[in-house]
Amino acid sequence: MITKYVFNKDTDLDKDFFYVSSLAPYFKKTDKHFEVMEDCIKNSYNPDIEDWDYISILTKKKYKNGAKLSTHCTFEKYGAPIIVFSNDYTTDEKGDNFYGLHFEVVAYEKGCNIWHIYPLPAGSRTPIATPKIGFGEFVIEGGEMVDMTVEVIGKKIKVTMNGQTIETENEHIPDEFHVGLTACEGVNRFYDFTIDAEEV
């Protein structure tokens, strides 16, 4: 089954997605949602925190492993538009959601990083571990359209980004998961999001 979202001024993200925050202290928690523009969704610089807003969404639906996820996105000067997938989040007493184990495929000015992120036990020096499990070095210019596709097949992640291919493996990749997009570390714009996957 293929579902394609083309983001524009009529987009209602709340219909199919929900917001999730990071446990990382360097991504300051705000209540900001994606700005819905004429041809994209985006984050912005937030003077209240003197930083760029970290904003992440996941689909309300879950999908089976074997999913193929694609987006077209850009960043200004530097940034980190991300395709994310996770089957692990918690909701606090205020109704805010926070990531547990999740995987990020990141475009940035020096190429692509793939991260395996998971929470650490209470009392640890930091709340999460962030091992990088894959990377590819190539130049992405600020404002350049990034064509990113992520395939999750078994315990493998295959990424195709602007003609470059990166593959990695991780034993913790789940059999089913929510999928989504994250903007952080600069102004990021997402123009579409395509999900080719079987629903759970």
Side-chain angles (χ1 to χ4, degrees):
M1 177 179 178
I2 299 177
T3 302
K4 182 168 184 177
Y5 299 93
V6 178
F7 301 125
N8 57 49
K9 62 182 176 58
D10 297 320
T11 296
D12 179 9
L13 290 175
D14 293 333
K15 178 182 176 184
D16 295 322
F17 297 88
F18 62 99
Y19 285 85
V20 191
S21 296
S22 172
L23 291 171
Y26 41 83
F27 294 136
K28 302 177 182 69
K29 172 73 175 70
T30 69
D31 293 322
K32 296 291 186 180
H33 287 190
F34 273 111
E35 297 175 57
V36 179
M37 312 299 288
E38 288 288 333
D39 63 347
C40 66
I41 57 174
K42 66 182 283 285
N43 68 327
S44 293
Y45 183 81
N46 185 342
D48 293 337
I49 62 172
E50 298 182 336
D51 206 342
W52 289 273
D53 277 316
Y54 169 100
I55 304 176
S56 186
I57 54 174
L58 286 176
T59 53
K60 293 178 180 178
K61 292 180 179 178
K62 284 169 62 169
Y63 297 92
K64 293 184 179 181
N65 190 305
K68 184 176 182 180
L69 317 168
S70 302
T71 189
H72 292 90
C73 53
T74 60
F75 55 82
E76 295 179 4
K77 294 184 180 178
Y78 72 95
I82 296 166
I83 287 179
V84 59
F85 63 94
S86 175
N87 195 29
D88 182 24
Y89 67 92
T90 57
T91 305
D92 68 11
E93 65 279 0
K94 296 180 182 178
D96 293 326
N97 304 305
F98 292 88
Y99 279 113
L101 168 70
H102 61 294
F103 292 84
E104 295 183 340
V105 177
V106 186
Y108 76 121
E109 62 272 15
K110 295 182 180 180
C112 171
N113 286 327
I114 305 172
W115 301 92
H116 166 214
I117 303 172
Y118 56 93
L120 293 173
S124 299
R125 187 174 59 86
T126 61
I128 60 172
T130 59
K132 182 163 61 175
I133 60 173
F135 67 95
E137 284 191 60
F138 48 92
V139 175
I140 300 176
E141 300 288 349
E144 178 183 353
M145 185 66 72
V146 180
D147 183 354
M148 180 180 359
T149 296
V150 176
E151 296 177 77
V152 185
I153 306 168
K155 300 303 180 183
K156 295 183 179 181
I157 300 172
K158 179 181 178 181
V159 181
T160 304
M161 187 179 296
N162 286 9
Q164 305 287 330
T165 299
I166 304 102
E167 294 190 33
T168 191
E169 296 185 26
N170 187 278
E171 63 179 338
H172 299 289
I173 294 172
D175 293 330
E176 56 188 46
F177 38 75
H178 304 271
V179 302
L181 302 169
T182 302
C184 70
E185 297 182 8
V187 177
N188 303 270
R189 292 177 171 83
F190 295 95
Y191 300 89
D192 54 41
F193 185 42
T194 301
I195 304 164
D196 184 354
E198 185 179 349
E199 294 179 12
V200 174

